[in-house]
Amino acid sequence: MPLLEINNLVTAFHTPAGRVPAVDGVSLSIERGKTLGLVGESGCGKSVTAMSILRLVASPGVIESGEILLAREGGSVDLTQLPEPELRKVRGGRIGMIFQEPMTSLNPVFTIGDQIAEAVLLHRAVPRAAARARALEMLKLVRLADPEQRLDEYPHQLSGGMRQRVMIAMALACEPDLVIADEPTTALDVTIQAQILELLSDLRRRLQTSLLLITHDLGVVAETCDEVAVMYAGRIVERAPAAELFANPQHPYTIGLLAARPATGVRHEGPLRTIPGMVPLPQNFPAGCRFHPRCAYARLPHCAGDVPPLRDIRPQHQARCHYAGELGPATGEKGDAAHFPHFSNAGNELRPLFPEGGS
Amino acid sequence: MNASSPIRSSGFWAEAWRRFRRKPLAMAALAFVSLLMLVAGLAPAIAGTKPVICRYKGRLYAPCLGYFDRRLEPTIFAKDKFRGTYPRNLVEKDPGSWAVWPLVFQDPYRSVRDDEWPGRPANPARDEGRPSRINLFGTDQAGVDVFAKMVHGTTIALLVGFVSMGIAGSIGIVVGALGGYLGGWVDMLTSRVTEIVMCIPTLVLILSIMALLEKPTIWHTMAIIGATGWTGIARLTRGEFLRLRQSEFVTAARATGAGPVRIMLRHILPNALAPILVPITFGIASAILTESSLSFLGFGPPPPSASWGSILNDARSNLSMWWLVVFPGVAIFLTVLAYNLIGEGLQEATDPRLREARK
Amino acid sequence: MTTYLIRRLLFGVVTLLVITCFVYGLARNMPGTPLTVQLGETDPSRKFNPEDLERMKRIYGLDKPWPVGYAQWLGNVVQGDLGRSISRKQPVATLIAERIGPTFLVSGTALVLAWLAAIPLGLYASARSGTVDERATSLVLYVLYSFPTFVAALFLQIIFAVWLRGTNWELPLFGMTDLPADAPLLVRITDIARHAILPVTCQTYVSLAYDSRFIKANMEEAVRQDYIRTARAKGAGPWRVLFRHAFRNTLIPLVTLLGLSLPGLIGGSVIIEQIFTWPGMGRLFFESIRERDYPTIMGLTLMFSMLTLAGQLLADLLYCVVDPRVSVE
């Protein structure tokens, strides 16, 4: 039985302009000790999914339906139904969380040591000194230079990368079963990004923790994840083990993403590919398959009329496409899969594939 | 002219107005202030002893204008020895005359005498002057109708707010804009001057200056309130100009050869206006408060000007005349409340951060 | 740190010079002098003859142009002498010392009461933000905030001193005490307390309404920050999030407010003291302006300005204490 299982989660924002379903029937599962990558463009609902797990979605967001089952001895518990005091034991205790913005996610008026120790004290009946010792231990674990000295420093005295290490230390301080990392490296410099990711996967292996890694960067997924779920417009569109997904992408969106990915270490010849059109806003998701307006394979009216189910295409591999598994050369009016409209890649510089990942 | 300019076009203000309109309290406050303006403008037609319009010896006159300025009162009535008493004199000196009278036949500057209006007794004075059908809000020590005084005092309450904040706003914006935009020694100088003025206890300054004047008029009060109340506006303006000075659209404007004055007026000011407008609105409320407390302390404009605060001052010598406290007190309170509510509504309607939070 | 303090002090001295010089100039240019105003009003028959007037003017330095008078005054102040009140025939320092106690009694009590009530109210309002009871509380506070002190003072006077006259609830209208100085201590204390109730109420409600709105606004700002989400993700409960994480950050603007309330604490409120004829600093100032009592006006102006500056300095220093990001430099 998986450690965490999300079934048909619906999280919507109730705005003056109407109901906005940011997460619309998402199902996921994470095995013990494994890493699941949740991939998608900004605004696809992946951060809201992560926030929903710990019920941290800010008002006016509401979890409307679905269940989030966390395994425990002799069964499982539905986090969406858990009373608030019980849920607080899960937060930081069984599930740790790392956020995107290390610059603002730490409280500016408390020392690093205090903030990590607080996480310990909230979940373990230990004396202050022990919590502080644990904080120091964690700082060493996340390989922060001069840990003894850092313990009494304030967040503003640390760089972004260092702060993210502190966030990791805080999330892991109570040895959680699962760590949710919401775009942990997006706000950091490229060189720091690699270090933090490496640290994260290393610690995960050593502590036997499961990891839910939310990112818009397929390169990150390839390096760190065991399984991948691709999200588009509030829904999971494809789910598979990482190797399988990269080898045999089944959903046109995934195919597009992979085609748009610059192969690392290879000098690019010719243009980078992109997916035409824009990510739809939750206020006006298209009917039917939400990707159909941008899809090179779309067959109208079928794709615009019926919502495709998430179905098994290959062993352990699901995709949400009416034609997955039988996609030949594209026949839709959007042209050939190999000829996505592109932009020039003059100077061979690596361009970000997607806009900065957001909530 | 420059595409990157975020100049708040009519779209911004239309949007702000749309948001403002959704706030029932702010709209009620706006309606109340509009009502006050109406009352101020029509004061002589609402309460007075001079006809709004009358036909006398074959010609039409509007003696009520005399309430705005004595020189506007037609001289023929002085020549015919009316001595300010119209009802009997009109009939006696020209039986063919007719007149349209104010809604309430009461004078803000003097007590109405016995039988001045045919068949009506003189205004009661002192403790006898409680509110009645004839004297809606009662009469003061000397028998002057409180309702008439208050109706005519509305002009002062409104003028104080607008004139003094007009002065404070002009000084504050100029000082803040110069300091924020030019920087360097100008900023140094303006900031220090602002700080010094902030250190002067406002009431000390106002009382000293009021004592200095041989015959203080309401205009002096307004000027002094304005001259002392600009520091907050200056600081805010400085901050806005400092921030906007570095923005791309200002650089773009400078690149097109626009001079500093043009940049400040045409490019920065419109963008800085919304946040500056908020403290100005709150300033109107506090100016009204200051004026009425000055009048209350006996430092207001001399009689016959009827400021709401000076009616309260009358009450201090005889507290059993509660109507001298309740009516003007409530009027001052409601006006101050209205401006505060408008300010708050304005703040919420134009603050980009609050706007995002409500999205 | 030292250079910072020296710079602040230097600026403070310059500010004081500018303000006192300005006020001195103003005061001396008011129509009437303490001699004419005082004597002319009280008893016309006792008017000075011209020679006496000249002699008095010389004594008080009123015969010289005001810049000279200002220099004299400044010289004395530097030597620690605030001068003698002309209308009260007492040293200004003594007058001020007499008035500080009563003012502090009212404003100190009001300040403590206001903060004691404002912090829980502000926290309560931000914790229950959006609920019916919070809206009702906020509306009441908003109304209080817009309610002019002097109107409230008059209402209270009418209710407690006129309508309730003769009942147990009657409260004295004016002054600080009706008893002679030799009355038993306990009786005097009760009497003063009864006199202080209305002025303290008036001064409290204004600060209460302002402070709690201020706290609520800052709490709402703090609650929107990312670190609050982090605290919740750690498993902190709602009260812990509110008190420890959000309120600790709200303290930063709050200490500024506290520092800025220092001048009012000792300077008192002119209006409230005037309405209740409370023998404090605010009333002393008001009277000294009426009497054209230059030495007292100047002494009080100097004190008010110094308190304002001290309050700003205090606010800045406290700021450094509560906000680790700011250091004195």
Side-chain angles (χ1 to χ4, degrees):
Chain A
M1 143 176 211
L3 174 67
L4 185 82
E5 192 175 343
I6 302 176
N7 290 320
N8 289 314
L9 177 71
V10 178
T11 303
F13 290 81
H14 293 265
T15 68
R19 177 178 170 273
V20 178
V23 174
D24 199 0
V26 162
S27 299
L28 287 175
S29 70
I30 303 167
E31 299 295 331
R32 272 182 199 280
K34 298 281 185 198
T35 300
L36 171 69
L38 184 57
V39 191
E41 290 167 279
S42 307
C44 72
K46 55 193 195 299
S47 280
V48 178
T49 307
M51 296 296 172
S52 300
I53 296 175
L54 286 180
R55 301 217 312 246
L56 290 173
V57 185
S59 168
V62 182
I63 298 175
E64 289 186 339
S65 62
E67 49 182 14
I68 300 170
L69 301 173
L70 181 67
R72 67 174 174 195
E73 282 149 48
S76 66
V77 57
D78 185 356
L79 296 184
T80 62
Q81 303 300 323
L82 209 56
E84 184 77 18
E86 292 294 311
L87 184 72
R88 287 206 292 276
K89 290 182 190 154
V90 174
R91 290 178 182 158
R94 297 202 57 208
I95 301 180
M97 193 145 180
I98 301 163
F99 296 100
Q100 185 181 349
E101 302 288 344
M103 303 313 276
T104 53
S105 290
L106 289 169
N107 198 324
V109 297
F110 296 117
T111 61
I112 304 303
D114 276 351
Q115 298 193 47
I116 302 175
E118 184 187 19
V120 179
L121 287 169
L122 281 167
H123 298 285
R124 302 268 191 277
V126 293
R128 260 179 193 287
R132 195 178 150 86
R134 174 72 179 157
L136 180 65
E137 192 186 326
M138 291 312 296
L139 287 186
K140 285 179 182 156
L141 197 66
V142 297
R143 288 176 236 144
L144 199 67
D146 307 323
E148 284 90 358
Q149 188 199 328
R150 296 289 179 209
L151 213 51
D152 293 316
E153 287 191 347
Y154 288 94
H156 72 275
Q157 293 165 293
L158 272 59
S159 70
M162 286 152 87
R163 288 188 210 186
Q164 201 59 304
R165 282 173 198 266
V166 172
M167 283 298 290
I168 294 173
M170 201 149 68
L172 290 173
C174 292
E175 296 173 318
D177 297 323
L178 170 67
V179 169
I180 302 171
D182 185 7
E183 307 238 13
T185 58
T186 308
L188 302 174
D189 288 347
V190 181
T191 46
I192 310 291
Q193 284 187 2
Q195 291 174 16
I196 295 288
L197 275 177
E198 195 190 325
L199 174 74
L200 205 55
S201 32
D202 178 44
L203 289 178
R204 187 200 61 75
R205 259 194 309 277
R206 276 166 60 186
L207 302 173
Q208 282 302 299
T209 309
S210 304
L211 175 65
L212 172 58
L213 180 68
I214 292 158
T215 178
H216 62 266
D217 188 341
L218 278 173
V220 168
V221 173
E223 285 160 33
T224 33
C225 298
D226 302 309
E227 299 216 24
V228 187
V230 180
M231 207 167 162
Y232 183 81
R235 284 179 184 154
I236 301 290
V237 293
E238 186 158 6
R239 210 162 62 178
E244 160 74 13
L245 185 101
F246 283 97
N248 295 305
Q250 293 298 315
H251 194 281
Y253 178 60
T254 317
I255 296 171
L257 282 183
L258 289 172
R261 196 163 72 103
T264 39
V266 182
R267 256 187 90 81
H268 270 286
E269 300 298 332
L272 266 176
R273 287 160 187 154
T274 61
I275 303 173
M278 304 238 288
V279 186
L281 294 170
Q283 294 85 299
N284 40 21
F285 280 148
C289 171
R290 287 178 179 167
F291 186 61
H292 83 264
R294 301 173 73 190
C295 183
Y297 303 92
R299 286 177 209 170
L300 298 174
H302 187 193
C303 288
D306 298 337
V307 179
L310 189 63
R311 60 191 173 96
D312 289 319
I313 311 294
R314 294 160 57 90
Q316 292 184 299
H317 193 154
Q318 292 118 17
R320 192 187 284 279
C321 175
H322 293 301
Y323 302 101
E326 51 191 272
L327 291 173
T331 53
E333 61 269 40
K334 301 291 188 306
D336 193 272
H339 287 93
F340 284 115
H342 55 265
F343 58 81
S344 116
N345 190 33
N348 268 348
E349 57 186 52
L350 283 176
R351 301 287 296 268
L353 290 179
F354 305 111
E356 284 283 287
S359 40
Chain B
M1 181 173 114
N2 32 53
S4 65
S5 166
I7 283 205
R8 282 162 181 173
S9 53
S10 56
F12 170 82
W13 291 108
E15 173 72 13
W17 170 236
R18 207 172 52 76
R19 285 174 198 288
F20 188 90
R21 235 173 23 198
R22 278 210 302 258
K23 301 179 192 308
L25 277 177
M27 283 308 283
L30 199 62
F32 181 74
V33 172
S34 315
L35 178 75
L36 285 187
M37 290 185 190
L38 210 63
V39 169
L42 300 177
I46 295 171
T49 49
K50 298 169 185 175
V52 182
I53 291 173
C54 65
R55 188 177 174 84
Y56 180 66
K57 293 187 176 169
R59 293 191 59 184
L60 279 176
Y61 298 100
C64 76
L65 293 177
Y67 282 116
F68 289 124
D69 190 318
R70 208 161 286 163
R71 283 164 295 183
L72 289 176
E73 196 166 340
T75 44
I76 180 168
F77 299 109
K79 226 181 295 165
D80 289 358
K81 302 221 163 43
F82 270 51
R83 296 182 209 280
T85 315
Y86 283 85
R88 285 189 179 283
N89 281 324
L90 275 180
V91 185
E92 279 168 16
K93 293 178 178 158
D94 176 13
S97 68
W98 55 261
V100 178
W101 296 97
L103 290 174
V104 174
F105 186 83
Q106 286 291 349
D107 201 277
Y109 303 125
R110 60 178 178 83
S111 179
V112 169
R113 289 178 293 274
D114 199 19
D115 218 24
E116 183 175 333
W117 184 259
R120 194 196 275 184
N123 279 354
R126 281 181 282 282
D127 292 18
E128 302 298 308
R130 57 187 69 252
S132 67
R133 215 159 43 79
I134 292 170
N135 303 108
L136 294 171
F137 292 174
T139 60
D140 68 5
Q141 296 276 6
V144 183
D145 185 70
V146 175
F147 178 76
K149 276 178 107 168
M150 282 182 58
V151 166
H152 286 261
T154 311
T155 322
I156 292 181
L158 287 176
L159 271 182
V160 163
F162 290 126
V163 175
S164 56
M165 275 305 116
I167 297 171
S170 320
I171 302 177
I173 288 175
V174 169
V175 170
L178 287 179
Y181 185 75
L182 297 177
W185 66 268
V186 180
D187 186 32
M188 182 76 186
L189 188 75
T190 52
S191 296
R192 289 296 92 78
V193 168
T194 311
E195 276 169 39
I196 290 179
V197 174
M198 283 177 93
C199 277
I200 304 180
T202 319
L203 209 60
V204 169
L205 190 67
I206 294 179
L207 286 178
S208 320
I209 299 180
M210 292 303 282
L212 184 72
L213 298 162
E214 206 96 35
K215 284 197 168 55
T217 67
I218 188 68
W219 299 101
H220 289 115
T221 315
M222 295 181 208
I224 296 169
I225 295 175
T228 49
W230 53 268
T231 50
I233 299 167
R235 290 191 111 180
L236 202 89
T237 312
R238 175 179 174 270
E240 286 293 310
F241 271 64
L242 211 58
R243 187 171 64 80
L244 292 171
R245 180 173 72 167
Q246 276 132 12
S247 57
E248 284 116 25
F249 70 90
V250 171
T251 317
R254 208 176 287 138
T256 62
V261 174
R262 190 183 162 78
I263 291 177
M264 279 193 264
L265 286 181
R266 295 269 309 136
H267 296 270
I268 304 184
L269 191 59
N271 288 296
L273 208 56
I276 299 172
L277 220 54
V278 174
I280 290 184
T281 316
F282 288 128
I284 292 181
S286 82
I288 292 173
L289 214 53
T290 311
E291 187 281 325
S292 47
S293 43
L294 279 176
S295 299
F296 172 71
L297 288 174
F299 273 81
S305 304
S307 144
W308 292 346
S310 57
I311 304 176
L312 283 169
N313 189 26
D314 285 351
R316 289 188 62 203
S317 48
N318 192 348
L319 277 175
S320 58
M321 295 167 74
W322 54 266
W323 54 92
L324 290 187
V325 177
V326 172
F327 298 110
V330 167
I332 295 170
F333 159 61
L334 285 180
T335 313
V336 171
L337 181 66
Y339 277 111
N340 281 338
L341 284 172
I342 293 175
E344 186 136 323
L346 203 59
Q347 189 164 33
E348 281 171 17
T350 57
D351 186 335
R353 210 186 46 234
L354 285 175
R355 219 157 49 210
E356 255 163 43
R358 305 262 144 94
K359 214 186 280 175
Chain C
M1 178 75 191
T2 350
T3 45
Y4 167 81
L5 275 179
I6 290 173
R7 225 181 47 222
R8 286 296 295 254
L9 282 178
L10 274 179
F11 176 68
V13 169
V14 172
T15 309
L16 287 180
L17 281 177
V18 174
I19 293 175
T20 49
C21 181
F22 183 65
V23 174
Y24 192 88
L26 275 182
R28 279 292 297 273
N29 284 303
M30 290 181 202
T33 72
L35 306 172
T36 55
V37 168
Q38 186 196 9
L39 300 167
E41 270 176 7
T42 48
D43 189 357
S45 64
R46 274 186 51 213
K47 248 186 184 157
F48 284 102
N49 55 39
E51 298 94 80
D52 278 353
L53 205 60
E54 279 311 307
R55 191 172 50 80
M56 296 281 283
K57 271 191 174 178
R58 255 199 318 283
I59 293 173
Y60 290 113
L62 302 182
D63 53 339
K64 301 180 195 71
W66 73 264
V68 181
Y70 176 68
Q72 265 179 6
W73 176 82
L74 195 64
N76 291 335
V77 167
V78 171
Q79 290 164 31
D81 178 14
L82 285 175
R84 282 179 76 83
S85 160
I86 300 175
S87 49
R88 287 154 202 265
K89 317 273 189 278
Q90 263 181 316
V92 172
T94 314
L95 274 179
I96 291 179
E98 270 174 13
R99 300 295 188 108
I100 281 188
T103 288
F104 192 72
L105 178 67
V106 169
S107 52
T109 316
L111 186 85
V112 171
L113 286 179
W115 282 74
L116 278 183
I119 291 177
L121 263 177
L123 287 176
Y124 169 82
S126 43
R128 313 248 326 142
S129 186
T131 60
V132 177
D133 51 330
E134 181 269 321
R135 273 159 197 252
T137 323
S138 297
L139 191 71
V140 170
L141 286 173
Y142 201 89
V143 166
L144 280 183
Y145 170 67
S146 299
F147 209 88
T149 340
F150 52 97
V151 176
L154 287 175
F155 278 165
L156 287 174
Q157 283 188 330
I158 289 181
I159 293 171
F160 286 98
V162 178
W163 290 356
L164 294 175
R165 182 174 294 156
T167 69
N168 285 338
W169 295 96
E170 184 190 348
L171 287 173
L173 200 51
F174 297 122
M176 193 166 84
T177 178
D178 303 326
L179 299 172
D182 56 356
L185 187 66
L186 207 66
V187 180
R188 280 193 63 205
I189 289 177
T190 331
D191 185 52
I192 292 178
R194 271 169 53 82
H195 279 83
I197 290 177
L198 291 186
V200 166
T201 310
C202 284
Q203 207 157 337
T204 306
Y205 92 80
V206 187
S207 336
L208 170 64
Y210 183 83
D211 295 348
S212 57
R213 279 175 51 76
F214 184 87
I215 292 170
K216 185 187 169 220
N218 280 289
M219 284 293 283
E220 278 176 352
E221 175 77 31
V223 166
R224 274 201 289 269
Q225 302 299 316
D226 284 347
Y227 55 77
I228 294 300
R229 191 180 56 186
T230 309
R232 293 179 63 207
K234 253 192 242 182
W239 286 101
R240 190 181 176 85
V241 167
L242 212 58
F243 273 107
R244 191 175 144 86
H245 291 270
F247 186 60
R248 183 61 182 71
N249 277 278
T250 308
L251 272 184
I252 297 168
L254 218 54
V255 295
T256 316
L257 192 66
L258 191 64
L260 296 181
S261 63
L262 182 73
L265 190 62
I266 298 172
S269 156
V270 173
I271 294 173
I272 289 179
E273 295 190 356
Q274 188 62 22
I275 294 175
F276 294 102
T277 46
W278 189 262
M281 305 278 277
R283 190 165 152 77
L284 180 65
F285 177 74
F286 190 77
E287 287 164 353
S288 60
I289 285 214
R290 279 214 168 140
E291 294 161 0
R292 305 286 189 269
D293 189 2
Y294 308 139
T296 312
I297 296 178
M298 291 312 295
L300 287 172
T301 305
L302 182 69
M303 211 195 63
F304 288 150
S305 315
M306 272 168 70
L307 283 171
T308 311
L309 285 170
Q312 286 173 357
L313 185 65
L314 183 75
D316 285 0
L317 291 179
L318 283 176
Y319 207 107
C320 300
V321 175
V322 293
D323 191 347
R325 284 164 296 186
V326 181
S327 64
V328 179
E329 52 195 38

